[in-house]
Amino acid sequence: MVRFVQETLKAYVGGEARKEHCSASGESGRLLAETNAEAYRELKSLLRTLSHLSARDLAGGGEACAGVANTVFFGINMLLPRISAELLAFPKLCAAYFTLLSFAFEVYPTHAAALPLECFAALAGTLKFGLFNASREVAHASLQAVAALAGVQ
C-alpha cells in the first residue's frame, strides 16, 4: 500500500509538471477557474489518501510506522508547493490539509522533528497560516500540530 501511494504521488507530481509546461501563459479567467477546481479535487483526494494511510497504520498497530511516516511526509512535501493560499480558501481542502498535518505531527512527532530544515520551515510556515485561519477547525488542528512538536525531546 505504501509503495502504491508513493507511486501515485510521483505520477501526480510528474503530470502536474507537464501540465504547467504545456499551459499557455495568458490563460483566460474561465480556464484558470477550471484549473483551480481540478487542482482542488486532485489535492483533496491525495490528502485524504495520505490521511487514510496514516489512520490505517495507526489502527493496524503501527507495524510499518517508519514506512508510513516516510510516505506521509514525502507526500506532504510533494504536495506543499501545489497548495497555494488561493486553494486553501476552499474550506474542505484547507481542513483536509491541516487535519493531515496535525495527525502526522501527533502520530510521528520524532519523524517531523527530524525533517530537513527547508521542509520543516515550509511546514512551520503553513502552520502559522493555519493558526490565524478563520476556521476554528483549521486553527485547532494547527495548534494540535504545534503542541505535538513541543512535546518532542
Side-chain angles (χ1 to χ4, degrees):
M1 181 70 158
V2 169
R3 179 171 284 166
F4 175 75
V5 172
Q6 288 175 341
E7 293 302 319
T8 302
L9 288 164
K10 288 176 187 175
Y12 172 74
V13 170
E16 281 296 299
R18 283 189 291 281
K19 279 184 196 176
E20 289 173 10
H21 183 265
C22 294
S23 70
S25 59
E27 291 185 36
S28 69
R30 180 174 173 228
L31 184 58
L32 185 59
E34 288 175 13
T35 302
N36 280 342
E38 182 180 349
Y40 161 78
R41 287 189 299 273
E42 291 170 350
L43 287 169
K44 190 170 85 170
S45 294
L46 290 167
L47 290 170
R48 286 187 175 167
T49 299
L50 290 170
S51 292
H52 290 301
L53 181 65
S54 297
R56 182 175 167 261
D57 178 52
L58 191 61
E63 296 169 6
C65 188
V68 173
N70 288 335
T71 300
V72 168
F73 283 103
F74 168 77
I76 291 170
N77 190 40
M78 298 300 282
L79 298 177
L80 187 58
R82 287 145 184 87
I83 299 175
S84 64
E86 185 176 75
L87 286 173
L88 287 176
F90 291 98
K92 288 182 181 179
L93 178 69
C94 191
Y97 174 71
F98 285 101
T99 299
L100 171 64
L101 203 56
S102 173
F103 188 76
F105 279 31
E106 285 182 73
V107 176
Y108 314 113
T110 54
H111 193 85
L115 289 171
L117 187 57
E118 286 181 11
C119 183
F120 187 81
L123 292 176
T126 62
L127 284 176
K128 183 178 177 183
F129 176 89
L131 289 171
F132 295 102
N133 194 283
S135 166
R136 188 170 52 140
E137 178 185 4
V138 169
H140 184 260
S142 297
L143 280 171
Q144 285 180 315
V146 170
L149 284 174
V152 176
Q153 296 184 17

mmCIF file of all heavy atoms in Angstrom, residues 34-61:
data_model
loop_
_atom_site.group_PDB
_atom_site.id
_atom_site.type_symbol
_atom_site.label_atom_id
_atom_site.label_comp_id
_atom_site.label_asym_id
_atom_site.label_seq_id
_atom_site.Cartn_x
_atom_site.Cartn_y
_atom_site.Cartn_z
ATOM 1 N N GLU A 34 -11.231 26.637 -13.957
ATOM 2 C CA GLU A 34 -11.328 25.194 -14.171
ATOM 3 C C GLU A 34 -10.065 24.491 -13.680
ATOM 4 O O GLU A 34 -10.138 23.419 -13.076
ATOM 5 C CB GLU A 34 -11.571 24.888 -15.645
ATOM 6 C CG GLU A 34 -12.959 25.236 -16.123
ATOM 7 C CD GLU A 34 -13.138 25.042 -17.627
ATOM 8 O OE1 GLU A 34 -12.273 24.418 -18.269
ATOM 9 O OE2 GLU A 34 -14.163 25.510 -18.148
ATOM 10 N N THR A 35 -8.918 25.095 -13.921
ATOM 11 C CA THR A 35 -7.648 24.530 -13.476
ATOM 12 C C THR A 35 -7.597 24.478 -11.951
ATOM 13 O O THR A 35 -7.172 23.480 -11.370
ATOM 14 C CB THR A 35 -6.472 25.366 -14.019
ATOM 15 O OG1 THR A 35 -6.553 25.385 -15.441
ATOM 16 C CG2 THR A 35 -5.142 24.791 -13.594
ATOM 17 N N ASN A 36 -8.042 25.542 -11.292
ATOM 18 C CA ASN A 36 -8.082 25.558 -9.827
ATOM 19 C C ASN A 36 -9.050 24.522 -9.279
ATOM 20 O O ASN A 36 -8.761 23.874 -8.277
ATOM 21 C CB ASN A 36 -8.447 26.948 -9.303
ATOM 22 C CG ASN A 36 -7.267 27.886 -9.306
ATOM 23 O OD1 ASN A 36 -6.118 27.468 -9.373
ATOM 24 N ND2 ASN A 36 -7.546 29.178 -9.247
ATOM 25 N N ALA A 37 -10.194 24.358 -9.927
ATOM 26 C CA ALA A 37 -11.172 23.366 -9.479
ATOM 27 C C ALA A 37 -10.605 21.959 -9.619
ATOM 28 O O ALA A 37 -10.784 21.112 -8.732
ATOM 29 C CB ALA A 37 -12.466 23.504 -10.270
ATOM 30 N N GLU A 38 -9.905 21.709 -10.709
ATOM 31 C CA GLU A 38 -9.290 20.396 -10.912
ATOM 32 C C GLU A 38 -8.182 20.157 -9.883
ATOM 33 O O GLU A 38 -8.090 19.080 -9.296
ATOM 34 C CB GLU A 38 -8.720 20.300 -12.330
ATOM 35 C CG GLU A 38 -8.103 18.962 -12.641
ATOM 36 C CD GLU A 38 -7.545 18.895 -14.052
ATOM 37 O OE1 GLU A 38 -7.803 19.791 -14.866
ATOM 38 O OE2 GLU A 38 -6.830 17.920 -14.325
ATOM 39 N N ALA A 39 -7.354 21.164 -9.649
ATOM 40 C CA ALA A 39 -6.288 21.049 -8.649
ATOM 41 C C ALA A 39 -6.887 20.801 -7.268
ATOM 42 O O ALA A 39 -6.359 19.996 -6.497
ATOM 43 C CB ALA A 39 -5.430 22.308 -8.639
ATOM 44 N N TYR A 40 -7.978 21.486 -6.961
ATOM 45 C CA TYR A 40 -8.667 21.304 -5.682
ATOM 46 C C TYR A 40 -9.087 19.851 -5.498
ATOM 47 O O TYR A 40 -8.806 19.227 -4.476
ATOM 48 C CB TYR A 40 -9.887 22.240 -5.618
ATOM 49 C CG TYR A 40 -10.916 21.849 -4.595
ATOM 50 C CD1 TYR A 40 -10.717 22.118 -3.247
ATOM 51 C CD2 TYR A 40 -12.094 21.206 -4.971
ATOM 52 C CE1 TYR A 40 -11.657 21.763 -2.306
ATOM 53 C CE2 TYR A 40 -13.045 20.853 -4.033
ATOM 54 C CZ TYR A 40 -12.819 21.126 -2.705
ATOM 55 O OH TYR A 40 -13.751 20.764 -1.768
ATOM 56 N N ARG A 41 -9.755 19.289 -6.495
ATOM 57 C CA ARG A 41 -10.233 17.899 -6.398
ATOM 58 C C ARG A 41 -9.072 16.918 -6.252
ATOM 59 O O ARG A 41 -9.125 16.006 -5.420
ATOM 60 C CB ARG A 41 -11.079 17.544 -7.610
ATOM 61 C CG ARG A 41 -12.448 18.190 -7.619
ATOM 62 C CD ARG A 41 -13.331 17.635 -8.732
ATOM 63 N NE ARG A 41 -12.771 17.859 -10.054
ATOM 64 C CZ ARG A 41 -12.952 18.960 -10.784
ATOM 65 N NH1 ARG A 41 -13.692 19.937 -10.311
ATOM 66 N NH2 ARG A 41 -12.413 19.082 -11.981
ATOM 67 N N GLU A 42 -8.039 17.108 -7.054
ATOM 68 C CA GLU A 42 -6.901 16.191 -7.014
ATOM 69 C C GLU A 42 -6.163 16.270 -5.679
ATOM 70 O O GLU A 42 -5.847 15.242 -5.073
ATOM 71 C CB GLU A 42 -5.945 16.503 -8.165
ATOM 72 C CG GLU A 42 -6.520 16.159 -9.525
ATOM 73 C CD GLU A 42 -5.690 16.680 -10.680
ATOM 74 O OE1 GLU A 42 -4.749 17.480 -10.455
ATOM 75 O OE2 GLU A 42 -5.984 16.290 -11.823
ATOM 76 N N LEU A 43 -5.897 17.478 -5.221
ATOM 77 C CA LEU A 43 -5.183 17.647 -3.959
ATOM 78 C C LEU A 43 -5.991 17.108 -2.785
ATOM 79 O O LEU A 43 -5.438 16.455 -1.895
ATOM 80 C CB LEU A 43 -4.830 19.115 -3.731
ATOM 81 C CG LEU A 43 -3.705 19.657 -4.598
ATOM 82 C CD1 LEU A 43 -3.627 21.176 -4.493
ATOM 83 C CD2 LEU A 43 -2.372 19.027 -4.212
ATOM 84 N N LYS A 44 -7.276 17.371 -2.781
ATOM 85 C CA LYS A 44 -8.123 16.883 -1.693
ATOM 86 C C LYS A 44 -8.112 15.355 -1.652
ATOM 87 O O LYS A 44 -7.997 14.755 -0.579
ATOM 88 C CB LYS A 44 -9.546 17.416 -1.843
ATOM 89 C CG LYS A 44 -10.421 17.141 -0.610
ATOM 90 C CD LYS A 44 -11.730 17.870 -0.672
ATOM 91 C CE LYS A 44 -12.697 17.040 -1.454
ATOM 92 N NZ LYS A 44 -14.072 17.497 -1.423
ATOM 93 N N SER A 45 -8.167 14.731 -2.815
ATOM 94 C CA SER A 45 -8.126 13.267 -2.877
ATOM 95 C C SER A 45 -6.791 12.723 -2.367
ATOM 96 O O SER A 45 -6.755 11.740 -1.617
ATOM 97 C CB SER A 45 -8.364 12.780 -4.305
ATOM 98 O OG SER A 45 -9.664 13.080 -4.717
ATOM 99 N N LEU A 46 -5.704 13.347 -2.770
ATOM 100 C CA LEU A 46 -4.391 12.885 -2.328
ATOM 101 C C LEU A 46 -4.180 13.109 -0.832
ATOM 102 O O LEU A 46 -3.611 12.258 -0.142
ATOM 103 C CB LEU A 46 -3.295 13.573 -3.135
ATOM 104 C CG LEU A 46 -3.208 13.121 -4.598
ATOM 105 C CD1 LEU A 46 -2.320 14.054 -5.406
ATOM 106 C CD2 LEU A 46 -2.717 11.688 -4.693
ATOM 107 N N LEU A 47 -4.659 14.226 -0.316
ATOM 108 C CA LEU A 47 -4.555 14.476 1.120
ATOM 109 C C LEU A 47 -5.361 13.447 1.914
ATOM 110 O O LEU A 47 -4.902 12.943 2.948
ATOM 111 C CB LEU A 47 -5.027 15.893 1.455
ATOM 112 C CG LEU A 47 -4.116 17.021 0.968
ATOM 113 C CD1 LEU A 47 -4.810 18.369 1.131
ATOM 114 C CD2 LEU A 47 -2.788 17.000 1.698
ATOM 115 N N ARG A 48 -6.530 13.126 1.420
ATOM 116 C CA ARG A 48 -7.351 12.115 2.096
ATOM 117 C C ARG A 48 -6.701 10.736 2.021
ATOM 118 O O ARG A 48 -6.772 9.957 2.969
ATOM 119 C CB ARG A 48 -8.755 12.089 1.507
ATOM 120 C CG ARG A 48 -9.570 13.275 1.952
ATOM 121 C CD ARG A 48 -10.997 13.165 1.510
ATOM 122 N NE ARG A 48 -11.759 14.269 2.054
ATOM 123 C CZ ARG A 48 -12.964 14.595 1.660
ATOM 124 N NH1 ARG A 48 -13.544 13.901 0.707
ATOM 125 N NH2 ARG A 48 -13.598 15.608 2.205
ATOM 126 N N THR A 49 -6.061 10.445 0.894
ATOM 127 C CA THR A 49 -5.354 9.169 0.764
ATOM 128 C C THR A 49 -4.252 9.071 1.815
ATOM 129 O O THR A 49 -4.098 8.036 2.473
ATOM 130 C CB THR A 49 -4.753 9.026 -0.655
ATOM 131 O OG1 THR A 49 -5.824 9.055 -1.602
ATOM 132 C CG2 THR A 49 -3.970 7.744 -0.801
ATOM 133 N N LEU A 50 -3.489 10.143 1.981
ATOM 134 C CA LEU A 50 -2.430 10.150 2.992
ATOM 135 C C LEU A 50 -3.016 10.036 4.400
ATOM 136 O O LEU A 50 -2.456 9.337 5.254
ATOM 137 C CB LEU A 50 -1.584 11.416 2.865
ATOM 138 C CG LEU A 50 -0.701 11.490 1.624
ATOM 139 C CD1 LEU A 50 -0.106 12.891 1.473
ATOM 140 C CD2 LEU A 50 0.385 10.435 1.654
ATOM 141 N N SER A 51 -4.141 10.679 4.647
ATOM 142 C CA SER A 51 -4.794 10.574 5.965
ATOM 143 C C SER A 51 -5.263 9.152 6.236
ATOM 144 O O SER A 51 -5.080 8.628 7.337
ATOM 145 C CB SER A 51 -5.994 11.526 6.040
ATOM 146 O OG SER A 51 -5.564 12.855 6.038
ATOM 147 N N HIS A 52 -5.856 8.524 5.234
ATOM 148 C CA HIS A 52 -6.332 7.145 5.398
ATOM 149 C C HIS A 52 -5.156 6.193 5.605
ATOM 150 O O HIS A 52 -5.253 5.250 6.396
ATOM 151 C CB HIS A 52 -7.173 6.713 4.204
ATOM 152 C CG HIS A 52 -8.504 7.393 4.132
ATOM 153 N ND1 HIS A 52 -9.449 7.305 5.136
ATOM 154 C CD2 HIS A 52 -9.046 8.179 3.184
ATOM 155 C CE1 HIS A 52 -10.511 8.015 4.807
ATOM 156 N NE2 HIS A 52 -10.294 8.559 3.627
ATOM 157 N N LEU A 53 -4.064 6.420 4.908
ATOM 158 C CA LEU A 53 -2.878 5.592 5.087
ATOM 159 C C LEU A 53 -2.370 5.698 6.520
ATOM 160 O O LEU A 53 -2.048 4.687 7.149
ATOM 161 C CB LEU A 53 -1.788 6.008 4.093
ATOM 162 C CG LEU A 53 -0.488 5.219 4.140
ATOM 163 C CD1 LEU A 53 -0.716 3.769 3.733
ATOM 164 C CD2 LEU A 53 0.549 5.868 3.231
ATOM 165 N N SER A 54 -2.321 6.901 7.049
ATOM 166 C CA SER A 54 -1.877 7.106 8.433
ATOM 167 C C SER A 54 -2.822 6.441 9.419
ATOM 168 O O SER A 54 -2.385 5.780 10.361
ATOM 169 C CB SER A 54 -1.810 8.596 8.765
ATOM 170 O OG SER A 54 -0.866 9.233 7.970
ATOM 171 N N ALA A 55 -4.109 6.626 9.212
ATOM 172 C CA ALA A 55 -5.102 6.042 10.110
ATOM 173 C C ALA A 55 -5.047 4.518 10.059
ATOM 174 O O ALA A 55 -5.168 3.841 11.085
ATOM 175 C CB ALA A 55 -6.493 6.534 9.751
ATOM 176 N N ARG A 56 -4.841 3.983 8.874
ATOM 177 C CA ARG A 56 -4.736 2.531 8.704
ATOM 178 C C ARG A 56 -3.513 2.005 9.446
ATOM 179 O O ARG A 56 -3.569 0.972 10.102
ATOM 180 C CB ARG A 56 -4.654 2.186 7.226
ATOM 181 C CG ARG A 56 -4.598 0.720 6.936
ATOM 182 C CD ARG A 56 -4.637 0.494 5.410
ATOM 183 N NE ARG A 56 -4.293 -0.858 5.120
ATOM 184 C CZ ARG A 56 -3.082 -1.259 4.733
ATOM 185 N NH1 ARG A 56 -2.126 -0.377 4.577
ATOM 186 N NH2 ARG A 56 -2.835 -2.526 4.484
ATOM 187 N N ASP A 57 -2.412 2.725 9.360
ATOM 188 C CA ASP A 57 -1.194 2.341 10.063
ATOM 189 C C ASP A 57 -1.423 2.363 11.571
ATOM 190 O O ASP A 57 -1.034 1.438 12.276
ATOM 191 C CB ASP A 57 -0.054 3.291 9.687
ATOM 192 C CG ASP A 57 1.231 2.973 10.438
ATOM 193 O OD1 ASP A 57 1.656 1.805 10.405
ATOM 194 O OD2 ASP A 57 1.803 3.889 11.046
ATOM 195 N N LEU A 58 -2.077 3.401 12.051
ATOM 196 C CA LEU A 58 -2.340 3.540 13.481
ATOM 197 C C LEU A 58 -3.282 2.439 13.965
ATOM 198 O O LEU A 58 -3.053 1.833 15.007
ATOM 199 C CB LEU A 58 -2.928 4.921 13.776
ATOM 200 C CG LEU A 58 -3.030 5.330 15.232
ATOM 201 C CD1 LEU A 58 -1.649 5.376 15.873
ATOM 202 C CD2 LEU A 58 -3.690 6.684 15.338
ATOM 203 N N ALA A 59 -4.320 2.145 13.186
ATOM 204 C CA ALA A 59 -5.285 1.112 13.556
ATOM 205 C C ALA A 59 -4.659 -0.276 13.496
ATOM 206 O O ALA A 59 -5.049 -1.173 14.249
ATOM 207 C CB ALA A 59 -6.503 1.167 12.640
ATOM 208 N N GLY A 60 -3.680 -0.447 12.610
ATOM 209 C CA GLY A 60 -3.041 -1.746 12.455
ATOM 210 C C GLY A 60 -1.925 -1.990 13.449
ATOM 211 O O GLY A 60 -1.184 -2.950 13.319
ATOM 212 N N GLY A 61 -1.764 -1.154 14.406
ATOM 213 C CA GLY A 61 -0.747 -1.349 15.415
ATOM 214 C C GLY A 61 0.569 -0.685 15.098
ATOM 215 O O GLY A 61 1.533 -0.823 15.825
#
